[in-house]
Amino acid sequence: QVRLVESGGGLVQAGGSLRLSCAASGRSFSSYAMGWFRQSPGKERQFVATISWSGGKTYYADSVKGRFTISRDNAKNTVSLQMNSLKPEDTAIYYCGASRSPFYYITYYREDKYYWGKGTLVTVSS
């Protein structure tokens, strides 16, 4: 059974940094894309960043490009999101996702395409 567990969320002032981590278990993820998505109150879950199975390709939402960096360690089955220059509008629950299909990724939210963690809350104060 695939399990994803996020950590690293918290409260930070605008301009600050946080690093989110996601530990994956239940299978090897070396052939599967992984990503981060977020959901603010009253809004749909949105794409933040995704990384290919090898880590060689990364994709970001325009709103976080240049501020966030996604990375992965296939030996440890982990994916991380380094978030710098945080803004109040980055406040959301951040979800880790892992593709259900090998060599396949999405840059938009589709619940049925990925496995999902339970999320970690990031709050950015102004």
Side-chain angles (χ1 to χ4, degrees), residues 20 34 82 112:
L20 305 183
M34 299 185 74
Q82 177 66 40
D112 61 327

Side-chain angles (χ1 to χ4, degrees), residues 12-16 38 62-65 67-68 83-92 94 122-126:
V12 63
Q13 288 189 333
R38 67 186 182 187
D62 287 343
S63 59
V64 307
K65 205 170 291 184
R67 300 188 297 123
F68 291 10
M83 305 187 296
N84 298 329
S85 302
L86 282 161
K87 304 175 181 180
E89 51 263 43
D90 294 319
T91 294
Y94 283 71
V122 172
T123 303
V124 184
S125 63
S126 57

Side-chain angles (χ1 to χ4, degrees), residues 99-110:
S99 178
R100 289 179 178 265
S101 303
F103 311 115
Y104 175 82
Y105 65 88
I106 55 175
T107 57
Y108 53 90
Y109 175 60
R110 278 284 302 271

Side-chain angles (χ1 to χ4, degrees), residues 29-30 32-34 51-55 70-74 78-79:
F29 287 84
S30 60
Y32 298 83
M34 299 185 74
I51 187 166
S52 65
W53 35 96
S54 66
I70 188 171
S71 60
R72 66 187 295 164
D73 185 335
N74 284 343
T78 59
V79 62

Side-chain angles (χ1 to χ4, degrees), residues 12-75:
V12 63
Q13 288 189 333
S17 298
L18 279 175
R19 185 176 181 87
L20 305 183
S21 295
C22 173
S25 60
R27 69 171 191 203
S28 172
F29 287 84
S30 60
S31 298
Y32 298 83
M34 299 185 74
W36 290 93
F37 295 70
R38 67 186 182 187
Q39 188 167 15
S40 304
K43 294 185 178 180
E44 292 187 348
R45 197 172 300 187
Q46 297 178 327
F47 166 74
V48 175
T50 196
I51 187 166
S52 65
W53 35 96
S54 66
K57 294 184 179 181
T58 56
Y59 303 91
Y60 297 93
D62 287 343
S63 59
V64 307
K65 205 170 291 184
R67 300 188 297 123
F68 291 10
T69 302
I70 188 171
S71 60
R72 66 187 295 164
D73 185 335
N74 284 343

